[in-house]
Every structure is written in C-alpha cells, then in structure tokens.
C-alpha cells in the first residue's frame, strides 16, 4: 500500500515538472502565431486578398445553404412562423447579392494574375515616325512583364509567411488537442496548396512571356535599325540636293548680272529643290506609289474644279517663272474691274505677285491721289486681265506725252517747235538709253521702227488746235519728268505774243485783252508808262 502511494506521488511530481515547459512552449507558439497573423494582415498582399475573397464566397455559400435549410424546416413545421421566415428570406436575398458579386472567385480566382498577357498587334516600322511607336510598344510589354515579376515576389512572400504559420500551427496541434487549431491548420494548408499551384502557373506564364518579349523586341529593333539606316541614306540624298541647289544659286549670282533675275532664279531653285525633297521622302516611305498616283488622279480632278483659281495661280506662277515676263523689281500695271494699279514688283510667290504702288499719273488721275499701298495680284491675272510690264527685258524707259490746246489764231508751228525743243532738252538721256535697250531687244524680238526721238503732233479740235508731244522717260519716274516738261512749255508759251492757250473758262475782262495773261493790255500799260517817263 505504501509502495503504491509512493509511486503515485512520484508520478504526480514528474507530471507537474513536464507540464511547466509544455505551457511555456504553448504560450510562445501562440504569441508567434499571433505575430504571423498580424504580419499577414498588414502585408496587404494581393494574392492573400484574392484568396480571402474565395473564403468569403465559400462562407456565404455555406450560409445560404444553412438558411435555405432553416426556411424549408420552418415551412413544413406546424404553426408556421411567418415573421421568422420573412426575416430569413431578407437575409437570404442579401447573401445571394453578395454571392453574385463574388461569383468570379468561385473558379480560378488568380486567373488575371497568372495568365500570360496578350502581346497584341506588333507595330510595323515603315518610317522614322513609327520608331517612337516601336519603342513605346517594347516599353509597354516590358512593363507588363515587370508587373508579373512584382506579383511573383509578392506570392513568394505570402508563401513564406504561410509556411511559417503552418509550422507554428502544426506544433500547437501536437501540444494540444484543439478543434479550432486543427481547422485553422487545415485552412492554411489549403491556402498554401492553392498559392503553390498559382506559383507554378505564374512561373510558366512568365517564362513564355519572356520568350515572346525577347522575340518581339528583336524583331522591332531590327526594323528600327533598318529605318535608321534608310533615314541616313535619304538624308544624304537630301543633302546632295541642297548642296546642288546652293551651287546653282552661286552660279546664278556669278553669271546673272541683274539682281532681279537672280532673285527670281533663286526662288525657282528653292521651289524645285523643295519639291524634289518632297518627292524623295514620298518615294522613300510610301509603300504603294501607284495607289497614291491613282488617288491623286481622282482627287486632282475634283480639286481642279473646286479650286480652279488656286490651280490657275500656280500655273500662272509657272508661266511667269518659265516665260520670264515679270521679274522682281519690274514696274507693272494691272487693271481689274475698272481699277488700275501701277507699282514695282516686290515678290513673286506661287499664288501672288506683290507690288508696291508708286506715285504715278495713274494714281493721280484714277486713284484719287492715293498711292503707297501693297497690292496682291493673283498669278492667274496673267491669263484673264490686262497685265503691262514697263520694264520688260531690261527696258527702263517708256513713251509719255503731254497734250495741250491753243486757239485757232495762234502760231501753231511755233507752239509745236517749243514743245519739241523742251522735250528734246529734258528727255535726251532717256532717248539715248532707249536706243541701247532696243538694240538688245533685237536679239529676241523683231523691231522695225526703233526711232525714239521726241515727237510732236497736232490735230484740229472743236475748241482749238490740239498739240501733243511725246518723249522717252524713266518708267519709274514718269510724273516727275512730265511735271518739268509741262512747266517749261507753259512758261515758254506765256512769253510768246502770238500763241494763246485755249481752255474752257469764263473770265470777266475789264479792258481789251485776250483773256489769257492780258498780253495786249499789259503791253499797252507798259508803253504808256514808258511815254510818261
């Protein structure tokens, strides 16, 4: 009896000694489990969130099945509880709505994370501008691969934490028999298995996508290199065209003496060079030239009708450049709808001739003494309207005339002689210059009468004898010479006793006189004054 009691005491003492370290280990494991759970919750891991949605769906599904069972039991029970059934139906509707929201997590919850992204349409690099598209495409697919790598790192972190949690739960289960611990261990093992399967699928997708990226990148980089070399060749051809145009400009400046002609030649060279460069780029980067020609053929037919004036202006510009009828610096005269403008050409573009309106007899008599305006003349005017060039083929002079009328009893021969002498005196240098200019024009035009000496004519009019004197004058300063010659003629005629200018006027004469300067009256007064002295 004593022996049995002694054994019992020894057993109790040994059991109490073994339970002390077991409790300490259990507490330590619970603390470690709590720490791991907090880390899992704080990690904000997308994989764990996806799996939590799966668990939520399963819980909602089980809850729906439980409530449906309760409703069925209540409906078949005696003394049906209508209020409770209504409450359960409302709860069931709310749960079904939640189930619909989580329906996508029922099967393959990690689908969008583990599937290989679609490469999409690979851009074809056919011109330098498409290089940017190609580089952007490569960056886009690499960014998608970087997202997959980031998701893989997050998955590894989640699995490491789950591995530690499963290990702690396993130790807790070995130390204590607890249904909650066993259930928790089972759930975490299921989660671990699901994530491990997702890891394998993700790794396979990453490997396949990496190969696709490598293949696509190599293809695009090859196309980019080809386009860069092609662009280099095209730029070299364009550079040769520019250098050739520059050489032609230098030659034109060297051998063309007229600045105006050199300016026009330079503009033509620039236009031709620009079109050549445009054609170089079109033929270099246009895939189907015949298609472009066909489209342009149909489009030009419609545009020719809708934009007739524009095309006519371009054709007029081409006619001006090739024909050489107008150059920068020439003095021209344009008439349109009763309006006449005379000025110097400032520029000849594809659409307009720009002139600076000068002070001329035209601006004095027809434009209400207005001048100095910038006039834009469409190039198509060379086909449809009067277009006069005062300085064509190097001409710097034009015929100008002055007309006046004398009375029938005047000495018309003396009046004609005076007008001719004054014109010869002032227009002498222009007469000589015109002879030289006409001599040069014989190389291009058939000139028969080249007499450019001043001329005087007379004609009988109802109000008197009309005398007209013609002379050569500077085409850029006709009004100035006309003013000088008119002044000298009128002063000389006033000194002649037998010449009276006829003009329409009304004048009250106090004494005998001719109505023009009262020459007889003045002469008589002069004789009377001399006799008194």
């Amino acid at each position: 009896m004593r022996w049995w009691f002694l054994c019992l005491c020894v057993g109790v003492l040994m059991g109490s000694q073994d339970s002390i370290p077991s409790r300490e280990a259990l507490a330590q494991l619970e603390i470690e489990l709590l720490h791991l759970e907090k880390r899992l919750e704080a990690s904000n891991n997308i994989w764990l969130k996806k799996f939590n949605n799966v668990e939520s769906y399963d819980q909602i599904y089980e809850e729906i099945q439980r409530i449906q069972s309760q409703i069925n039991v209540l409906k078949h029970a005696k003394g049906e509880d209508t209020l409770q059934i209504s409450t359960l139906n409302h709860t069931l509707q709310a749960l079904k709505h939640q189930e619909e929201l989580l329906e996508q997590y029922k099967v393959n919850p990690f689908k969008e994370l583990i599937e290989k992204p679609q490469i999409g349409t690979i851009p074809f690099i056919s011109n330098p501008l498409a290089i940017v598209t190609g580089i952007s495409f490569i960056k886009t697919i690499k960014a998608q691969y970087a997202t997959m790598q980031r998701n893989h790192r997050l998955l590894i972190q989640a699995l490491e934490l789950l591995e530690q949690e499963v290990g702690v739960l396993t130790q807790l289960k070995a130390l204590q028999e607890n249904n909650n611990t066993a259930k928790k261990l089972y759930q975490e093992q299921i989660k671990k298995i699901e994530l491990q399967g997702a890891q394998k699928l993700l790794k396979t997708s990453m490997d396949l996508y990496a190969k696709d990226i490598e293949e696509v990148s190599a293809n695009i980089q090859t196309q980019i290199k080809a386009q860069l070399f092609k662009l280099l060749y095209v730029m070299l051809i364009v550079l040769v065209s520019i250098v050739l145009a520059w050489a032609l400009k230098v030659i034109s400046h060297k051998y063309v003496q007229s600045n105006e002609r050199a300016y026009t030649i330079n503009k033509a060279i620039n236009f031709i060079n620009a079109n050549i460069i445009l054609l170089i780029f079109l033929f270099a980067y246009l895939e189907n030239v015949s298609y472009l020609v066909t489209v342009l053929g149909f489009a030009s037919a419609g545009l020719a009708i809708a934009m007739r004036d524009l095309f006519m202006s371009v054709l007029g510009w081409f006619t001006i450049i090739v024909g050489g009828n107008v150059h920068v610096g020439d003095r021209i005269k344009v008439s349109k709808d009763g309006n006449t403008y005379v000025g110097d050409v400032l520029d000849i573009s594809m659409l307009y001739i720009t002139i600076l309106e000068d002070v001329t007899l035209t601006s004095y008599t027809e434009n209400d003494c207005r001048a100095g305006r910038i006039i834009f003349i469409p190039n198509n005017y060379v086909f449809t309207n009067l277009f006069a060039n005062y300085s064509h083929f190097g001409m710097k002079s034009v015929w100008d005339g002055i007309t006046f009328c004398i009375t029938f009893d005047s000495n018309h021969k003396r009046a004609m002689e005076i007008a001719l002498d004054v014109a010869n005196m002032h227009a002498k240098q222009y007469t000589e210059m015109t002879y030289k200019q006409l001599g040069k024009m014989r190389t291009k035009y058939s000139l028969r009468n080249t007499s450019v000496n001043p001329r005087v004519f007379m004609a009988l009019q109802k109000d008197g004898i009309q005398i007209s004197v013609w002379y050569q004058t500077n085409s850029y300063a006709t009004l100035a010479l006309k003013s000088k010659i008119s002044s000298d003629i009128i002063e000389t005629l006033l000194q002649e006793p037998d010449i009276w200018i006829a003009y329409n006027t009304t004048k009250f004469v106090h004494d005998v006189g001719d109505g023009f300067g009262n020459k007889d009256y003045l002469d008589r007064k002069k004789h009377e004054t001399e006799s008194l002295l």
Side-chain angles (χ1 to χ4, degrees), residues 423-477:
N424 277 319
M425 178 180 64
H426 288 286
K428 181 179 180 180
Q429 58 176 334
Y430 300 112
T431 302
E432 295 175 354
M433 182 175 63
T434 305
Y435 270 121
K436 296 179 181 179
Q437 293 168 350
L438 290 176
K440 295 179 180 179
M441 291 185 67
R442 290 180 182 275
T443 59
K444 184 176 181 181
Y445 299 102
S446 176
L447 299 176
R448 296 181 180 179
N449 184 13
T450 57
S451 176
V452 292
N453 291 319
R455 306 172 190 178
V456 62
F457 306 96
M458 65 164 286
L460 294 177
Q461 300 292 335
K462 65 178 182 178
D463 296 325
I465 302 173
Q466 181 177 296
I467 298 176
S468 177
V469 60
W470 293 84
Y471 53 89
Q472 290 289 329
T473 183
N474 186 355
S475 58
Y476 295 88

